[in-house]
Amino acid sequence: KAGVTQTPRYLIKTRGQQVTLSCSPISGHRSVSWYQQTPGQGLQFLFEYFSETQRNKGNFPGRFSGRQFSNSRSEMNVSTLELGDSALYLCASSLGGQRGYTFGSGTRLTVV
Amino acid sequence: SQELEQSPQSLIVQEGKNLTINCTSSKTLYGLYWYKQKYGEGLIFLMMLQKGGEEKSHEKITAKLDEKKQQSSLHITASQPSHAGIYLCGADTSGTYKYIFGTGTRLKVLA
């Protein structure tokens, strides 16, 4: 059974650019969550999607957005990148309910 | 302040020693999870606790949930170098499937 796949693994972008990260959940999982992890702030919740609907949202500016497709694959977009957006972005999927999440290996974004 | 506080922040133990990591919530817990992370990688699921008083074990790792105290503990018996990493507790504290995480405990085991 394939795990959660995140692409790309590494990304270097310039300030002001935008970026799109992709997450393919485990087959059958309908809930996808995104997290930002930095040494200073730890793991911060970005948003959660269930059956193509955003169900929860964290305290991030509107530059951070996401979506989920009918096959449960999800993308997150960050526009007008800032140096502080450099982080490991983790995606996690779940069947839903209180069943726990399986995490992908993450996308490491560096903004220069 | 963090909704989920972990203690200690870091821990260095000699191989073979036992250790405990704590996770305390300032809000009601609707399910608590323990994960392990190797630096720069994704999180590996360890176990999930849902009911007060629940205790689960996997190999040498045991986790307990004290619902009244809104607290969970993770205990490692006879630690090994393979136990090294960052341990994170995660929980739904709003009942809306929004999972937040603690600040993590960095564990180093000396051979």
Side-chain angles (χ1 to χ4, degrees):
Chain A
K1 190 176 186 182
V4 178
T5 304
Q6 289 188 247
T7 56
R9 283 299 309 275
Y10 302 94
L11 206 49
I12 300 175
K13 289 286 187 178
T14 306
R15 267 184 306 175
Q17 286 187 311
Q18 75 164 17
V19 67
T20 298
L21 311 182
S22 179
C23 173
S24 292
I26 290 173
S27 178
H29 284 194
R30 295 165 68 189
S31 173
V32 174
S33 289
W34 288 89
Y35 293 84
Q36 181 197 65
Q37 188 176 37
T38 58
Q41 297 296 317
L43 206 58
Q44 300 288 311
F45 175 82
L46 280 157
F47 25 68
E48 184 243 351
Y49 287 87
F50 184 85
S51 294
E52 301 179 67
T53 301
Q54 187 182 85
R55 200 161 57 170
N56 285 291
K57 191 176 190 304
N59 298 323
F60 278 80
R63 299 186 297 105
F64 291 81
S65 62
R67 58 179 176 169
Q68 186 181 32
F69 302 96
S70 57
N71 61 358
S72 291
R73 190 177 72 84
S74 178
E75 288 181 348
M76 69 162 278
N77 184 277
V78 187
S79 62
T80 321
L81 284 165
E82 298 176 1
L83 295 178
D85 297 333
S86 295
L88 179 66
Y89 289 87
L90 291 162
C91 162
S93 75
S94 170
L95 281 167
Q98 302 288 359
R99 288 187 176 92
Y101 278 87
T102 301
F103 280 80
S105 298
T107 293
R108 182 163 294 282
L109 171 66
T110 302
V111 182
V112 297
Chain B
S1 63
Q2 291 274 348
E3 280 185 35
L4 285 180
E5 294 278 356
Q6 282 186 241
S7 62
Q9 287 189 342
S10 64
L11 201 50
I12 301 174
V13 300
Q14 202 68 40
E15 183 178 3
K17 295 293 185 185
N18 301 337
L19 62 106
T20 300
I21 298 168
N22 294 302
C23 175
T24 303
S25 173
S26 59
K27 296 184 178 180
T28 302
L29 293 169
Y30 296 90
L32 185 130
Y33 304 85
W34 284 99
Y35 289 86
K36 179 185 173 185
Q37 184 181 30
K38 292 285 189 183
Y39 179 74
E41 298 178 12
L43 278 65
I44 298 167
F45 174 79
L46 293 175
M47 52 193 90
M48 173 178 71
L49 304 165
Q50 287 187 294
K51 300 174 187 175
E54 189 171 12
E55 180 175 322
K56 287 189 177 177
S57 293
H58 175 68
E59 297 181 342
K60 295 184 178 179
I61 301 177
T62 300
K64 299 179 187 178
L65 178 64
D66 185 331
E67 207 167 48
K68 285 183 182 177
K69 291 183 181 177
Q70 294 173 177
Q71 196 173 69
S72 177
S73 61
L74 184 85
H75 185 77
I76 298 177
T77 304
S79 59
Q80 301 168 350
S82 60
H83 287 128
I86 301 169
Y87 289 82
L88 291 137
C89 64
D92 175 359
T93 59
S94 61
T96 61
Y97 311 117
K98 173 185 171 183
Y99 292 89
I100 60 170
F101 284 83
T103 48
T105 295
R106 189 177 293 270
L107 172 64
K108 188 172 183 178
V109 181
L110 302 175

